[in-house]
Amino acid sequence: MGWKNIYRRRLRVFTVALVIYLDYKAVQRRARWVSRGKEDALWEKTHERNARRLLNLIIELEGLWVKMGQYLSTRADVLPEAYICLLKQLQDSLPPRPLWEVRQTIVEELGKSVDELFSSFFEQPLATASIAQVHRATLKNGEEVVVKVQHDGIKEIILEDLKNAKAIVDWIAWAEPQYDFSPMIDEWCKEAPKELDFNHEAENTRKVSRNLGCRSGNDGTSLDHSVDVLIPEVIQSSEKVLVLQYMDGIRLNDTQSLEAYGVDKQKLVEEITRAYAHQIYVDGFFNGDPHPGNFLVSKEPPHRPVLLDFGLTKSLSSSMKQALAKMFLACAEGNHVGLLSAFAEMGLRLRLDMPDQAMEVSTLFFRNSTPAKDALENVKSLNDQREKNMKIIQEKMNLNQKQVKRFNPVDAFPGDAIIFTRMLNLLRGLSSTMNVRIVYLDIMRPFAEAALLGNLHNAPIMGKSWICDSPIHSDVEEKLRQFIVRIGSDKILGLQVCAYKDGKVIIDTAAGVLGRYDPRPVQPDSLFPVFSVTKGITAGLIHWLVDKDKLKLDETVARIWPEFGANGKDLIKVHHVLNHSSGLHNAMGDVIKSNPFLLCDWDHSLRHIASCTPETEPGSQQLYHYLSFGWLCGGIIEHASGKSFKEVLEEAIVHPLNIEGELYVGIPPGVEPRLATLALDIDELQKFSAIQSRPEVPDSIQQSNVSEMASSVPALFNTLNMRRAVIPAANGHCSARALARYYAALAAGGSIPPPHSSLSKPPLGSHPHFPKFPSFKLKPKSRKCSIKAANIRGNLFGSRRDTNDYNLISNISIKDVSTDTNRHMFHNSNIHDAFMGSGDFTTMVLPNGKFGLGFRRFNSNGTENMKTFGHSGMGGSTGFCNVEHDFAIAVTLNKMSVGGVTRSIIQLVCSELNIPLPDEFSAQGEKGPDMQLNLQQS
């Protein structure tokens, strides 16, 4: 191109960019001093003036700038009307290149002259675009074709334009940090050169045509996932010439012809949208350049869209395709957990935890399109939302006005997602240009579901690959895995089983997938919601504080927690709470009915518990405290220790057992990618109604529609608010290996087992317990500021400063704890009697009750054993241990059912190890309150 031309183009680009920038900055200042009516006129003239400058520059330079102009001309949803009106000229055609240049390129590329190849060749091009121009022609065999010929020297121009565009974007990012489009231009620099090879475009055209079933008329999928579009057939190609089948169609900007032919524009754009949804979510291979110039409409009914120009295409990996589908469905359902998990899977990293704002911004990508006339209102709405989000960031990060302008909440943005969002924006612009409203969430949803459910259905569910590829620890684990494969996906969605025998791991198996819309395989470190299994964890904290002399089982709760003594609760003792005999079994029932999300408010729930009135005399009846148990114990724990529930959980259980990152009551930010998603076994839902009249079931459940309640549980507990809440009766998230290790320690009287099996990957305890987001580095003005920032960070992750002068565990490192097998969580030699409510603790429990002091007492063969205890959760998860056999087991699952899977697994393992089967898991034995909801009906 010559260095003179290079520097001339560079000078023109930067001069115009600077003039436009300074013009807008000047008008921005002037607008502050004029009335509202004059301000609108002032901005309108400014937009028209600068749009004209931009158009003149693009026409002068051509090359890549034409593409940019075409893109901007489609953004009628967000750009001022002046830009749309002027830049839409670029969609029609640019001045053509001379015919001799076209003929010469054809000879050089195809080895024959125009006259040798074609019986006729139209000298006037159909269209001239940024990279090539298209001529109509007829082959010697009479077939009508179009010939796409690349402009001579365009490659050098495009590459130079990319450098200039990159420099401008970097400059804007420096001058206005909140408008940093560097990731977008970087991805464009990587993808744009591919458009310069027409062999590449030819193969892309063939591939998209095959994927969409354009030759066969269908794509082999259900009607919900089929599309009805046309794509021209490739006849011949070289690097700079492409010969395609001619298709007679109407341009999208030819409004008169569209009306004359009776084209339904709404239906047309919907079909285009479906075609792109298919490309993204089903095929993982899509055209990233859907501007109006790349479409025609067939003149024959049903007026199908014709898709053109596949130079800029993007291929998605299976994991990226799934992540994009998961992001879409998360936005459609308002699923914050799914959204944050999708971000992590696609490599999008944020610098701070703002799930609500992340959902708002992501949902913008899939919002309903708006006609061009609503562009101004749309822009104002987007700006208002952006300012609101930046204000929230400023408050969270404690930034001043200057700092917040330079803060970018996105730490990393993947290139695949950039082309994806560009494509969505172009589609939105297309619908705005056509003045139609498109409901993207409805149109694209079947394809996103197909991307995830298709992977689930096509997975080798009946083979060993359905089970996590980890070494087998024992013969019983080998038999268990064979059994799990036989059950298959009819009863199992995702599952973990871990068991300890004599302090050693004998089973550590993970199988299935993380969720109905999450086909990623379950791993040993995946986190499952386990509902009332959490009660066994919470009870362990009470016993741990008693062991540390910070609490006594026979003291009144009101002495520890003064507010609790109101309304006749002054006689309730700690052991009444643990034994489910405090009389407060329905204390949270009215909250569930009025607003379940109030359960997420820890302080509100504690105040509510403290103000309740007992329904029965303390110690008179054992009635299952299905939800109130958590806040009763939680209030006791916090008031006795002076620390938060989470802090005591870490000090008492997580750190000593070295299970960091795999046992939570209320998840912290950052673990979403490891979360299993709850689903319900619909086929067994009707069996829930059988439990409604049983006396063991709380009154508030007996009076409700059990089937309706069970159906709502997964949706409620899949929400981010519920998962992050501290609900010590029902909100534990853990892996089976962490839960089994806990019960292995309890079975041994609190003696910490040897390190977990090295065969289990990643190693247990390798996750940080409070994942941190990348920090935005600012120099603190003083030590005082630094302390304040540290306190803010602490509040972000739910911790609080400890003002006590004692430490609940010894000052030893995590490594020391995990490797020293002589260390104990408890020092009471009668701790098992305390758990079970036996021996010296018999007077603290009701005779023949299902519960000891916080743990379910499991009988065997219908007789009292007093050697087996634990706790199950609604839906099937469980954890328990047998002291006599030094055995502990945990089962976690995400497909909530009536417990058949869990029962079968426990039966198999106990039979193989010759361990007495707890009645809880036998076919005929008496079930505990939680397993009432899991009872397998014959």
Side-chain angles (χ1 to χ4, degrees), residues 753-775:
H756 191 79
S757 169
S758 60
L759 302 178
S760 186
K761 303 295 181 183
L764 180 62
S766 61
H767 290 285
H769 198 58
F770 284 107
K772 300 178 180 65
F773 286 85
S775 60

Side-chain angles (χ1 to χ4, degrees), residues 7 73 347 355:
Y7 285 104
S73 72

Side-chain angles (χ1 to χ4, degrees), residues 166 274 329 522 621 833 915:
K166 169 66 175 168
R274 287 170 54 81
L329 291 171
V522 174
Q621 295 185 58
D833 289 340
I915 291 173

Side-chain angles (χ1 to χ4, degrees), residues 66 136-137 259 279 309 364 479 491 511 513 581 734 754 783 811 846 863 894 921 928:
V66 175
R136 186 175 174 182
E259 292 178 355
Q279 291 175 62
D309 194 348
L364 284 175
K479 292 180 180 179
K491 294 297 180 184
V513 294
S581 58
C734 64
R783 175 174 170 77
N811 290 319
L846 286 175
T863 61
N894 58 350
F921 305 100

Side-chain angles (χ1 to χ4, degrees), residues 857-926:
R857 305 192 295 199
F858 293 159
N859 297 337
S860 298
N861 298 320
T863 61
E864 285 193 0
N865 179 304
M866 292 302 178
K867 296 294 183 181
T868 304
F869 62 91
H871 216 297
S872 297
M874 183 176 64
S877 295
T878 193
F880 70 88
C881 63
N882 182 302
V883 178
E884 185 177 14
H885 292 267
D886 196 5
F887 169 74
I889 189 169
V891 179
T892 57
L893 45 79
N894 58 350
K895 190 173 188 178
M896 300 177 63
S897 69
V898 291
V901 171
T902 303
R903 187 185 65 179
S904 299
I905 289 172
I906 300 298
Q907 288 177 352
L908 184 150
V909 174
C910 287
S911 175
E912 290 294 323
L913 297 175
N914 197 27
I915 291 173
L917 178 69
D919 289 348
E920 184 102 343
F921 305 100
S922 68
Q924 314 302 331
E926 186 179 13

